[in-house]
Amino acid sequence: MTAHPPASAPRPRGRSRRRSRRAVAPIAAVSVLVAGAALTGCGQQRDADVYTVMNSSTDESYHRWDAEAMARCGKQLGVTIEQQSVPAAQVMTKALRMASSKSLPDIVQFDASEMPTFADAGGLTDLKSLGLSTEDIPEGIVDFGSYKGTYYGAARSVNTLALFYNKDMLDQAGIEVPTTWDELRAAAKKLTEGKRYGLALSAGGAEDGVFQFTPFMWSNGGDETKLDSPEVVEALDYWKGLLKDGSLSKSTVNWTQADVNDQFMAGNAAMMINGPWQVETLNTDKSLHWEIAQIPVPEQGADSVGPLGGAVLTVPNTGDEQREKTAGKIVACLSSQQEQLTYALNSWMVPANSEAAAEWREEVPELDALADQVAAARSRTAKLGAGWSSVSLALQSAFQSALTGQSSEAALKRAQQRATSGN
């Protein structure tokens, strides 16, 4: 893909957003705080026609896009919708404080990996009970917004990871776009030259690294419920092999996904694993000709299974049924097919709704591989719910140990112990 914006060039696009480490609140503490708010109802008088949405849209562009969507939905529903934006890492803690003071907003947009913690404490309302349907949403994305089979969070758009590559570098080296692990390792090794590495990825001690490891773990048949299985060990050994070849920088263990993108744009990496949130930044360099493909798989014909990322709109359980019903209508409007398409085209994300996603493919065909990757993607919390945070922290530690000398088997055995014991 050349570095120019797609056909709808005048439309503002999303920025490259760094994923920050999120504070993991103890579930017991969440339960106490949330239950108090849910059982006693709202502790403040509210304007009957004013509804509040708390989200993490602190970036000017995202804040503006959300404000415009809320204005459209407010007009349609005959209410005023106000936006309260806080940094992403503070959404959960802010929601907890507001729960304890019985002042929760009508709608909270949680990162999908955090939503189960609030749902586990009984703090969220079943969206289907408020009239929202999941009929046109792929099963993986329904799971993304669900906890223990109950649909609590509506996604407007989702994202996942893909293989980004410098087309000029691959063409000059006479290398085809890799589709299997063997091809990726061979291509990365051949493309490594001087200060340039064949591949860049994040294996840092934060959620970035875990997010980037899941395609290798899941596509190899690994599972987050057994981190020391042969399939997970093999996936981490694959990363170690790339490092041993010199195809990955030793700084990989410290890089965020934004750092990876910086290396790719500087010409220090011929390929990278990254997501669509980097597209706007990539497109600022007119001389950079990049394209994307699905992340290579262990064997030809296997599914490339990546992680679903993004946020979901939820309705807190405040005890005020009438306000909750109206909040449900607001969520339905914000996550409607047209609003999803508008939001996704602004932010480079993929619409959650199948029909909106089909329209999106036509608008941005150069990102078609991303839509294919999303179709097979999985929610990180689908199997473990609120227990995902323990697995994530355990894996982060395992990366640091295995990529700096310890065997993958030993590092992941310790990770499994940490994930199950909490120590």
Side-chain angles (χ1 to χ4, degrees):
M1 170 192 307
T2 53
H4 61 77
S8 49
R11 183 183 293 116
R13 299 288 183 179
R15 65 183 175 90
S16 167
R17 296 197 288 180
R18 294 179 182 265
R19 294 176 178 270
S20 57
R21 183 190 293 268
R22 298 172 184 274
V24 180
I27 292 177
V30 175
S31 298
V32 171
L33 290 170
V34 174
L39 293 173
T40 58
C42 299
Q44 64 175 8
Q45 292 296 318
R46 301 176 185 239
D47 188 320
D49 295 323
V50 178
Y51 289 77
T52 304
V53 179
M54 185 168 74
N55 59 26
S56 59
S57 300
T58 54
D59 175 85
E60 186 277 329
S61 295
Y62 281 84
H63 193 84
R64 172 165 44 82
W65 298 331
D66 279 337
E68 291 169 352
M70 291 174 197
R72 289 190 293 269
C73 287
K75 183 177 181 180
Q76 178 180 320
L77 297 171
V79 297
T80 297
I81 307 173
E82 296 181 344
Q83 180 176 200
Q84 181 182 5
S85 299
V86 299
Q90 297 176 21
V91 172
M92 175 61 81
T93 52
K94 177 78 170 178
L96 290 175
R97 285 198 300 269
M98 296 178 81
S100 67
S101 63
K102 304 178 183 62
S103 59
L104 279 164
D106 299 287
I107 296 165
V108 178
Q109 180 172 288
F110 284 112
D111 183 278
S113 65
E114 291 184 332
M115 178 274 291
T117 300
F118 217 79
D120 187 74
L124 299 177
T125 303
D126 178 357
L127 293 183
K128 287 188 177 180
S129 73
L130 299 178
L132 276 82
S133 170
T134 59
E135 183 178 352
D136 295 321
I137 306 173
E139 183 179 353
I141 300 178
V142 174
D143 289 342
F144 183 67
S146 300
Y147 178 62
K148 292 185 177 180
T150 301
Y151 185 56
Y152 291 112
R156 287 183 292 170
S157 65
V158 292
N159 61 66
T160 191
L161 296 167
L163 178 71
F164 288 68
Y165 60 92
N166 185 308
K167 190 175 186 304
D168 293 339
M169 290 181 182
L170 266 67
D171 287 347
Q172 289 165 10
I175 294 175
E176 296 290 327
V177 179
T179 59
T180 65
W181 281 9
D182 286 345
E183 291 174 0
L184 177 61
R185 187 167 180 178
K189 192 171 184 178
K190 188 173 181 180
L191 287 162
T192 298
E193 182 179 290
K195 294 182 178 180
R196 185 184 75 196
Y197 292 93
L199 180 66
L201 56 80
S202 168
E207 186 69 16
D208 283 36
V210 180
F211 198 70
Q212 296 227 330
F213 183 64
T214 52
F216 295 88
M217 175 172 71
W218 288 340
S219 297
N220 199 43
D223 191 282
E224 55 268 35
T225 63
K226 189 169 176 56
L227 299 180
D228 54 354
S229 71
E231 293 83 3
V232 183
V233 171
E234 187 177 18
L236 188 49
D237 273 341
Y238 182 75
W239 272 16
K240 289 190 69 167
L242 292 168
L243 197 61
K244 182 179 179 181
D245 290 346
S247 301
L248 289 179
S249 167
K250 292 181 179 179
S251 297
T252 293
V253 295
N254 299 315
W255 282 346
T256 65
Q257 294 178 116
D259 295 327
V260 168
N261 192 59
D262 291 343
Q263 295 297 317
F264 183 74
M265 292 191 69
N268 296 330
M271 300 180 289
M272 70 170 176
I273 306 296
N274 227 315
W277 51 88
Q278 308 292 7
V279 169
E280 184 185 38
T281 304
L282 288 168
N283 280 345
T284 61
D285 185 347
K286 304 301 179 183
S287 65
L288 179 61
H289 303 135
W290 59 275
E291 294 186 359
I292 67 169
Q294 291 192 55
I295 296 174
V297 292
E299 296 180 358
Q300 198 70 48
D303 289 331
S304 183
V305 185
L308 280 172
V312 291
L313 294 166
T314 70
V315 176
N317 177 11
T318 61
D320 188 331
E321 293 185 4
Q322 189 56 50
R323 287 192 72 90
E324 288 172 8
K325 287 181 182 178
T326 302
K329 292 178 182 179
I330 293 171
V331 170
C333 180
L334 291 173
S335 60
S336 65
Q337 182 177 332
Q338 185 55 53
E339 288 297 340
Q340 283 194 24
L341 181 61
T342 300
Y343 186 81
L345 288 171
N346 278 335
S347 63
W348 290 99
M349 306 302 175
V350 182
N353 177 284
S354 297
E355 293 186 10
E359 289 187 60
W360 181 88
R361 283 176 185 262
E362 294 180 4
E363 288 270 358
V364 282
E366 63 270 44
L367 295 183
D368 198 54
L370 187 68
D372 291 335
Q373 191 86 51
V374 161
R378 281 178 47 189
S379 164
R380 286 163 287 169
T381 59
K383 290 190 174 183
L384 298 179
W388 171 260
S389 59
S390 295
V391 166
S392 177
L393 291 171
L395 279 174
Q396 291 167 31
S397 180
F399 299 156
Q400 299 296 303
S401 298
L403 297 179
T404 55
Q406 190 177 34
S407 73
S408 297
E409 186 175 7
L412 288 167
K413 183 176 181 179
R414 174 60 180 148
Q416 180 62 24
Q417 292 170 345
R418 289 189 62 183
T420 54
S421 69
N423 297 318

